[in-house]
Amino acid sequence: MDEIRGDEIRGKTEGTATVPLSVLDLVTVGQGRTATQALRTSVDIAQLAECRGFHRYWVAEHHSMPGVASSSPAVILAHLAAHTERIRLGSGGVMLPNHAPLVIAEQFGTLEAMAPGRIDLGLGRAPGTDGATAAALRRTDRLGEGAEDFPQQLAELTRFLDDDFPDGHPYARIHAVPGPVQATAQGGIQSPARPPIWLLGSSGFSARLAGVLGLPFAFAHHFSAQNTVPALDLYRESFRPSAVLDAPYALIGVSALAADDEREARRQVLSGALSMVRLRTGRPGLVPTPEEAEAYAFSPMEREFVDSWLVNIVHGTADEVRTGLDDLAKRTGADELMITANAHGGEARLRSYELIADAYGLPAD
């Protein structure tokens, strides 16, 4: 595996943040809005994040969810690369079991060629959707196959990215193009170019695998908060130095939303909570408006879910959010925080990132 420059993983956020701050974008579509508007908002947020000194900007693969327009991370990343200049862009993540490893190697090799030195390849082993949709994506009814085969798929993908299948391997003469090192017609060698691999997870499986392989690890604290500390402990205990990292590097995804006052922040996160209630009960749809969420008659069971969900969302004024993020970074020992804001409108999400940047004293330009 090619050695990866340290600054491709370790953040360099300016300002007074205790750890680098990054952005996770689900490209949420609110009630009364369109996917076109949501994707335009993603460009606006990516440009804001770049100007304000956030370290990286990731998009996540989801399928068959009307309120989430991020089914094709590689396509979205190409669009964002054309509208930004410096910020790192990546997948948080691509669900490896849904795709042939060669396809992913070609897509992200192309992205690396478009935006050299700015692309991250984050990989997950979940389908990012329900079982029926996963079957449609994979053209198979053997839904457990992908997760069980994840280490083998990862090894194959890495071989394609590094273009180093051994002689005699069935794929030895197959090359992912654009690729890392390709001989030119004149016999020269192009510079190595391949995106760093991250493993994503919400339990211990990927944490252990990332540690054993010496890869950076991203944990989904925003929807699996009870497993965060155990998974990060397992990652650090399992870590073996590699050509990629000489020490563990753990990022956690965090739901956080700042507003100009506490009440507005509460209104916005309640909208996202109602969206999750509907998703968890098999009724996925567009993200409801704050007015709809406030008027909704939650059942006792739904109210219990909402209360437990909101506990793990850092929300309030900018100073309150900064305090909550700093406390979380200290409690988990995370090396980087990746903030996701699940709200109805793009305006609220943009305002949240702007307020958080202000609270940390990130550069204004």
Side-chain angles (χ1 to χ4, degrees):
M1 179 183 296
D2 294 326
E3 185 172 357
I4 297 171
R5 297 192 309 273
D7 63 355
E8 292 180 344
I9 294 175
R10 302 188 182 279
K12 299 184 294 182
T13 305
E14 300 179 47
T16 58
T18 55
V19 298
L21 302 178
S22 295
V23 174
L24 174 62
D25 183 10
L26 304 185
V27 196
T28 50
V29 185
Q31 187 69 42
R33 309 291 177 94
T34 66
T36 298
Q37 291 171 312
L39 290 163
R40 287 173 179 165
T41 295
S42 293
V43 171
D44 292 340
I45 296 176
Q47 291 175 335
L48 172 69
E50 180 171 77
C51 290
R52 297 306 306 266
F54 287 84
H55 183 52
R56 67 183 96 236
Y57 193 101
W58 283 3
V59 295
E61 178 183 348
H62 294 84
H63 299 279
S64 196
M65 298 180 186
V68 180
S70 58
S71 58
S72 302
V75 176
I76 296 172
L77 292 173
H79 185 58
L80 295 178
H83 288 83
T84 56
E85 297 179 357
R86 303 179 306 278
I87 193 168
R88 295 197 64 83
L89 302 169
S91 57
V94 165
M95 301 298 109
L96 179 53
N98 294 343
H99 312 276
L102 176 58
V103 172
I104 297 177
E106 291 175 335
Q107 289 176 345
F108 278 77
T110 302
L111 287 168
E112 180 66 29
M114 289 178 173
R118 295 174 55 203
I119 302 299
D120 298 323
L121 174 52
L123 299 168
R125 70 186 187 105
T129 188
D130 60 272
T133 306
L137 284 164
R138 303 175 193 178
R139 308 302 295 172
T140 177
D141 293 328
R142 297 172 62 188
L143 298 184
E145 183 182 60
E148 293 172 0
D149 291 346
F150 183 79
Q152 292 74 28
Q153 291 176 316
L154 175 62
E156 183 178 310
L157 172 59
T158 303
R159 290 284 192 183
F160 276 125
L161 287 170
D162 290 332
D163 199 18
D164 68 351
F165 281 103
D167 292 341
H169 192 281
Y171 297 157
R173 298 180 65 183
I174 300 174
H175 308 283
V177 179
V181 181
Q182 298 164 3
T184 67
Q186 291 75 32
I189 299 295
Q190 297 177 353
S191 299
R194 62 92 103 191
I197 290 176
W198 291 67
L199 293 194
L200 279 60
S202 58
S203 63
F205 181 93
S206 291
R208 184 187 298 275
L209 183 60
V212 169
L213 297 177
L215 295 174
F217 178 57
F219 186 81
H221 174 82
H222 53 298
F223 64 80
S224 188
Q226 71 277 9
N227 293 326
T228 303
V229 171
L232 295 188
D233 286 346
L234 181 59
Y235 168 60
R236 293 166 183 138
E237 292 165 4
S238 305
F239 187 83
R240 300 174 186 172
S242 69
V244 176
L245 286 175
D246 57 6
Y249 191 88
L251 171 159
I252 61 173
V254 185
S255 285
L257 191 136
D260 292 297
D261 59 69
E262 293 182 36
R263 181 179 180 279
E264 180 59 21
R266 173 77 181 189
R267 291 178 73 246
Q268 295 295 337
V269 298
L270 186 62
S271 174
L274 175 56
S275 182
M276 285 303 304
V277 166
R278 290 172 171 168
L279 178 63
R280 295 290 179 90
T281 55
R283 300 172 291 155
L286 301 179
V287 178
T289 65
E291 293 75 18
E292 181 181 357
E294 286 182 316
Y296 183 82
F298 291 94
S299 70
M301 185 175 297
E302 290 173 336
R303 175 56 64 183
E304 182 179 353
F305 171 83
V306 167
D307 290 342
S308 64
W309 183 259
L310 293 180
V311 164
N312 294 310
I313 300 179
V314 183
H315 63 284
T317 64
D319 288 341
E320 289 171 332
V321 169
R322 173 176 175 164
T323 297
L325 292 176
D326 286 347
D327 289 347
L328 182 61
K330 182 178 180 180
R331 178 165 58 86
T332 63
D335 298 292
E336 185 173 340
L337 299 180
M338 179 164 275
I339 302 166
T340 183
N342 186 10
H344 168 265
E347 301 86 351
R349 294 166 62 212
L350 278 162
R351 181 60 176 158
S352 176
Y353 290 117
E354 186 175 27
L355 288 170
I356 292 171
D358 289 344
Y360 278 102
L362 300 185
D365 185 359

